[in-house]
Amino acid sequence: MTAVRWLGTMLLLGSAALPQDTQVKGDDGTRIPYRLTDTQHILVRAKVNGKGPYNFILDTGAPTLFINPKAGEEIGLKVDGKWAKVERFEIEGGAVVENADARVEEPFQLSGMNAMGLPGARLDGVIGYTVAARFRITFNPKKRSMIWRKLDFDPPKPPDAKELMGEEGAGGGQNRMMEMLTRMMSGLMGGGRPAPVPQGAIGFEVERLDGAVTIAKVHDGSPAALAGLRAGDVVTELAGKPVKTEDELFKHAAGVAAGDEVKIAVERGGETLRVTLKAGGGM
Amino acid sequence: MKRLALVLPLLLAAPALPQDSVPGVVTVELETLKSKHLAVQVKVNGKGPFRLIFDTGAPVTLISNRVAKDAGLEAPRGLMGMGGEVAVESFEVGAAKAEGTKVMVFDHPTVQRLAKAVGDLDGIVGFSFFAQFETTIDYQARKLTLIPIGYKPVPLMERLQRMIGGGRRDPARAVISRPVLLGLELEGETSVVKSVAPGGSAEAAGLTSGDKITGFDGRWIENARDLLDAVRLLAPGESVPVRVARDGKEIELNIRTRSGV
């Protein structure tokens, strides 16, 4: 368990041979959708030379763009040393950087997290300084998108890690040790988590009436309709748990997958009705 | 269930701000190190300032043992000198102050190596601090703008322990949950609409069977999973743009989300 404490920090040093002709496109204030991984990393998606999308972590603690070698191979990147030229790096939402240099290697933090399945999504790389510094980036965890504004700024090349910190550089022995440790932990924990399944559809909309969670509409042909639920019914239990608020309803429904049998209790005309239905595959 | 327990606080939690949090906008100087890392000046329990890396890729905030000692912090000892997360009474980045920020006391080897090249560094400012603010990073102007938003991140260790520990006791499936009912069903794993429920919000938006959804809420949609990942972030009562391919043309619709299961 303690080893997971290592996973967070992305402090990677490398060197970016940044060409003069790097170009940036993106309107003022481009909305960049993101999601937070289960490990609280800011995940954005990007297409690399039209391939993908791939999952990247936004990381001001990384000096350059990193792409893991497996993705690099899929994309068909020509790797020279550990470096490759990305002709077009398009971030979901519309920010584009052309002729970006990428380091094609998997930072040990990513391999460790990927092996354990901790983030809840496969991570293909890291967006660091040479891409991120071309934008003014606003992040608010209460919003589903960041705002990226293009800067008239050509980030200078980060120095070579060896030059800066000697032979051990960033890829020092301790990092390799950490990678081994995270891989070992992943073995102990069964190597990743099961693939998630979608929540099942029951088929009614709700509203709050007189402090009660009330069915506002039942979708025709839905499991709820087939079970005889009607608009006006007050939901009191779902999946064996009491429902007093919409949040409670969502919380209990969030454990119901498509195909699951669900018991629901409603009040109608002063009586309690209990039905059992099978959740459908809709959303 | 567990999935939701983890995700819901992120989406919904908006507990009150600590009482003496700085209201309004705070601007903080960013130093670009020659390694191209960003650094800020930090005070912990009024002690300092110390120089720390500002790192959006770090889910935790780390402070060195030296800082912890100065600030009178006692952190639980763990593996290889790492402690668990402890709440700090006062954590200040420039003039932005947050109470109860969770930090880990740890002399990170990479930070130490970097410090040899760029001068003193005493840790990393990560998600547990900056997620309490709307954060704007301007590399060009070397300014960080922080606006308190009354958001308290769930400590990472707590999240991971719930995730992993919980998974061990009960190897339950993770369910991709959603707090809205769109009233549509997709063909298998694709993003092609199989059917829309009469009277549902998808039908009201003009979606029809055979439509291939290509965009949703500004996100790329290529398959069912992409749509599920987008829908899980929504709240009821929002107007969300939907792009669909229909008869060889791309059209844009708007869906009004409704509360439902």
Side-chain angles (χ1 to χ4, degrees):
Chain A
M1 185 57 226
T2 327
V4 296
R5 294 191 174 134
W6 282 90
L7 293 175
T9 44
M10 298 293 298
L11 271 165
L12 301 159
L13 293 171
S15 66
L18 201 68
Q20 291 299 309
D21 57 351
T22 299
Q23 287 178 22
V24 181
K25 283 176 191 162
D27 296 330
D28 268 9
T30 306
R31 278 185 65 204
I32 303 294
Y34 74 93
R35 65 189 172 95
L36 222 46
T37 67
D38 293 342
T39 46
Q40 290 182 157
H41 287 91
I42 301 167
L43 187 152
V44 297
R45 301 196 300 170
K47 289 183 184 169
V48 185
N49 292 345
K51 302 275 174 62
Y54 293 98
N55 294 330
F56 288 85
I57 287 172
L58 175 66
D59 187 358
T60 57
T64 184
L65 173 64
F66 285 85
I67 297 175
N68 88 27
K70 202 175 154 218
E73 206 174 304
E74 271 174 39
I75 298 157
L77 291 178
K78 289 197 180 64
V79 184
D80 182 9
K82 294 228 163 175
W83 291 95
K85 178 81 73 186
V86 172
E87 280 153 39
R88 188 178 162 83
F89 191 76
E90 182 186 3
I91 299 164
E92 186 172 35
V96 176
V97 178
E98 290 180 339
N99 292 317
D101 280 274
R103 201 161 162 86
V104 183
E105 68 181 314
E106 188 172 52
F108 74 93
Q109 293 92 337
L110 289 197
S111 53
M113 287 194 292
N114 278 334
M116 287 201 263
L118 280 178
R122 189 187 67 158
L123 303 176
D124 301 302
V126 169
I127 294 175
Y129 182 75
T130 55
V131 168
R134 296 170 188 282
F135 300 90
R136 182 150 67 94
I137 297 172
T138 298
F139 170 77
N140 181 336
K142 286 182 166 180
K143 295 180 179 167
R144 300 193 296 275
S145 299
M146 291 177 278
I147 303 291
W148 287 33
R149 288 181 188 82
K150 186 189 149 191
L151 295 173
D152 183 21
F153 183 51
D154 195 10
K157 170 187 179 232
D160 189 273
K162 280 182 189 157
E163 200 178 292
L164 194 70
M165 307 198 298
E167 271 306 305
E168 275 294 277
Q174 295 188 62
N175 286 359
R176 282 190 290 277
M177 213 173 70
M178 286 320 305
E179 179 175 354
M180 279 169 58
L181 186 60
T182 50
R183 284 187 188 283
M184 201 177 74
M185 292 297 294
S186 110
L188 292 176
M189 288 188 228
R193 297 141 71 208
V197 294
Q199 180 178 330
I202 293 166
F204 61 77
E205 295 172 15
V206 292
E207 60 190 337
R208 197 159 180 85
L209 279 184
D210 301 326
V213 179
T214 308
I215 297 182
K217 182 182 277 179
V218 177
H219 289 176
D220 286 355
S222 68
L226 297 177
L229 297 179
R230 289 189 216 153
D233 290 351
V234 172
V235 184
T236 55
E237 277 178 41
L238 191 137
K241 293 170 197 120
V243 171
K244 289 191 194 70
T245 64
E246 281 180 72
D247 280 352
E248 283 177 351
L249 177 73
F250 296 143
K251 194 174 149 197
H252 306 332
V256 175
D260 284 1
E261 286 212 333
V262 200
K263 291 192 167 104
I264 299 174
V266 298
E267 274 177 15
R268 183 190 299 165
E271 286 180 36
T272 300
L273 265 77
R274 292 179 184 278
V275 300
T276 301
L277 54 78
K278 196 170 171 184
M283 65 175 78
Chain B
M1 278 308 297
K2 291 208 171 63
R3 187 73 168 206
L4 187 82
L6 292 170
V7 169
L8 266 188
L10 284 171
L11 297 178
L12 306 174
L17 267 177
Q19 283 179 350
D20 62 344
S21 272
V22 180
V25 183
V26 174
T27 304
V28 175
E29 295 289 325
L30 273 177
E31 181 190 358
T32 311
L33 304 179
K34 63 182 173 184
S35 59
K36 300 310 168 198
H37 292 93
L38 301 174
V40 288
Q41 297 292 322
V42 172
K43 283 188 182 176
V44 181
N45 288 344
K47 295 288 160 59
F50 303 100
R51 187 165 70 158
L52 275 71
I53 302 273
F54 182 83
D55 187 354
T56 60
V60 293
T61 296
L62 299 180
I63 61 170
S64 66
N65 279 292
R66 181 172 86 112
V67 173
K69 201 177 163 201
D70 259 28
L73 273 183
E74 287 214 19
R77 307 295 296 180
L79 182 75
M80 297 172 80
M82 278 179 295
E85 282 177 292
V86 286
V88 172
E89 224 167 274
S90 156
F91 195 93
E92 295 165 81
V93 173
K97 182 176 175 178
E99 290 184 344
T101 299
K102 296 277 181 147
V103 304
M104 229 178 255
V105 180
F106 176 47
D107 295 326
H108 194 293
T110 309
V111 175
Q112 289 180 314
R113 274 204 304 281
L114 188 59
K116 281 184 192 150
V118 302
D120 281 354
L121 281 173
D122 279 287
I124 299 171
V125 177
F127 189 85
S128 66
F129 175 81
F130 71 76
Q132 301 177 60
F133 300 86
E134 178 178 284
T135 304
T136 299
I137 304 158
D138 191 327
Y139 288 87
Q140 189 175 21
R142 296 183 183 171
K143 294 252 186 275
L144 193 63
T145 308
L146 298 164
I147 306 169
I149 54 169
Y151 176 88
K152 285 284 169 206
V154 180
L156 181 69
M157 285 313 119
E158 211 172 283
R159 285 168 61 85
L160 293 183
Q161 259 151 18
R162 263 191 270 167
M163 236 158 72
I164 296 165
R168 264 193 197 153
R169 280 194 308 276
D170 166 25
R173 354 151 257 197
V175 176
I176 309 172
S177 59
R178 49 168 173 77
V180 298
L181 182 65
L182 302 180
L184 69 82
E185 190 165 355
L186 299 176
E187 297 269 11
E189 302 296 308
T190 74
S191 67
V192 176
V193 177
K194 183 176 162 192
S195 61
V196 295
S201 53
E203 190 198 54
L207 280 159
T208 182
S209 64
D211 284 350
K212 182 177 165 52
I213 299 176
T214 60
F216 191 94
D217 192 27
R219 291 168 196 259
W220 292 324
I221 305 296
E222 300 194 338
N223 51 45
R225 177 64 196 266
D226 287 345
L227 188 60
L228 289 165
D229 281 339
V231 171
R232 70 192 291 186
L233 302 174
L234 302 179
E238 293 188 273
S239 180
V240 177
V242 189
R243 285 187 79 78
V244 302
R246 181 190 295 171
D247 304 327
K249 271 182 260 172
E250 286 247 328
I251 54 173
E252 181 132 354
L253 305 169
N254 263 287
I255 193 162
R256 185 99 197 152
T257 59
R258 298 183 198 155
S259 181
V261 296

